[in-house]
Amino acid sequence: AQKITQTQPGMFVQEKEAVTLDCTYDTSDPSYGLFWYKQPSSGEMIFLIYQGSYDQQNATEGRYSLNFQKARKSANLVISASQLGDSAMYFCAMRASTAAGSYQLTFGKGTKLSVIP
Amino acid sequence: EAGVTQFPSHSVIEKGQTVTLRCDPISGHDNLYWYRRVMGKEIKFLLHFVKESKQDESGMPNNRFLAERTGGTYSTLKVQPAELEDSGVYFCASSQVGGLNSPLHFGNGTRLTVT
């Protein structure tokens, strides 16, 4: 079974500073994908960044980067130069195969990020 | 390109009533998923369609939940009869392919409140 752990229920960061949101995962499957989603107060789930289990380099997308440490089973999200619009819930998720041949996402509980002006 | 749309955005019903949620995936996306988040808990997988077929319905909580995707386009999720513990946010997502590296595109969710 897959499991995602996000140990920070809430985080505060000063505007323009960088922040790291923690995520650890557990799976016995050698092939998996790691995703981060952002959920603003409006409710939609916005895909941010993806890291494959066999990717050698850390993924980056604009101000988002994923600090992937495979041996530690961690996939922390780093947001550089925080903006007020970054205030939202952030979910770490893992996609791995299931017995039914599907690739369902397993989510963590989320981290609520608040950016302070 | 229109995103995943869900209807209604909110629904308040009494215990024992029936509710039907609708999801329109992104055009051309064969894979459609339903997830739900009950208050204070993780977002949990319910089921996965590939076109009109149920690929994986291992997350469906019980037989009060019925999902359909006739014609492989939009999908409905019916809860009948609704119970208090069914309250939560129901998300629909779609993807063009079903592989590990394919991100799911989510709708805004339907917030269901059962009183």
Side-chain angles (χ1 to χ4, degrees):
Chain A
Q2 290 85 26
K3 185 178 171 67
I4 294 284
T5 303
Q6 294 181 256
T7 57
Q8 306 151 314
M11 289 277 287
F12 289 90
V13 64
Q14 203 75 38
E15 193 179 6
K16 298 180 185 176
E17 297 290 312
V19 63
T20 297
L21 307 183
D22 294 342
C23 172
T24 57
Y25 61 91
D26 190 23
T27 180
S28 56
D29 204 318
S31 299
Y32 51 88
L34 295 158
F35 300 80
W36 277 91
Y37 284 85
K38 171 185 178 182
Q39 187 184 37
S41 57
S42 51
E44 73 266 37
M45 295 277 283
I46 302 166
F47 164 66
L48 295 179
I49 195 166
Y50 161 81
Q51 180 84 43
S53 58
Y54 294 115
D55 292 344
Q56 296 295 312
Q57 294 195 332
N58 287 342
T60 60
E61 286 288 346
R63 293 186 300 112
Y64 304 109
S65 61
L66 201 152
N67 184 0
F68 180 45
Q69 298 189 40
K70 195 170 182 177
R72 294 185 178 182
K73 293 191 174 181
S74 75
N76 298 340
L77 177 70
V78 180
I79 306 175
S80 62
S82 297
Q83 301 172 355
L84 295 179
D86 294 334
S87 293
M89 281 289 286
Y90 288 80
F91 293 97
C92 179
M94 175 169 62
R95 201 165 188 194
S97 61
T98 69
S102 179
Y103 291 102
Q104 49 176 273
L105 275 177
T106 300
F107 284 88
K109 288 189 175 183
T111 295
K112 184 171 183 178
L113 177 68
S114 300
V115 180
I116 305 166
Chain B
E1 170 184 84
V4 176
T5 55
Q6 293 187 244
F7 182 83
S9 56
H10 293 83
S11 180
V12 181
I13 61 172
E14 292 183 355
K15 177 182 171 181
Q17 288 186 322
T18 298
V19 63
T20 300
L21 314 181
R22 173 171 169 143
C23 168
D24 287 77
I26 293 172
S27 178
H29 281 196
D30 288 341
N31 294 271
L32 187 149
Y33 307 81
W34 284 98
Y35 284 79
R36 110 176 144 171
R37 188 180 189 202
V38 171
M39 182 70 74
K41 302 250 177 114
E42 294 93 334
I43 301 167
K44 292 285 194 184
F45 167 81
L46 295 178
L47 90 159
H48 170 204
F49 283 101
V50 178
K51 296 184 180 178
E52 67 275 9
S53 300
K54 291 176 185 173
Q55 176 75 25
D56 183 352
E57 53 185 329
S58 61
M60 294 288 264
N62 51 61
N63 58 11
R64 295 185 293 103
F65 289 75
L66 175 64
E68 293 180 324
R69 193 183 182 196
T70 307
T73 54
Y74 70 91
S75 174
T76 57
L77 180 64
K78 181 191 287 188
V79 185
Q80 179 183 31
E83 297 290 344
L84 297 178
E85 64 264 24
D86 300 333
S87 295
V89 181
Y90 289 75
F91 289 101
C92 176
S94 71
S95 66
Q96 194 163 23
V97 295
L100 284 173
N101 62 350
S102 182
L104 272 58
H105 301 271
F106 283 82
N108 287 5
T110 293
R111 183 174 295 277
L112 175 64
T113 304
V114 183
T115 62

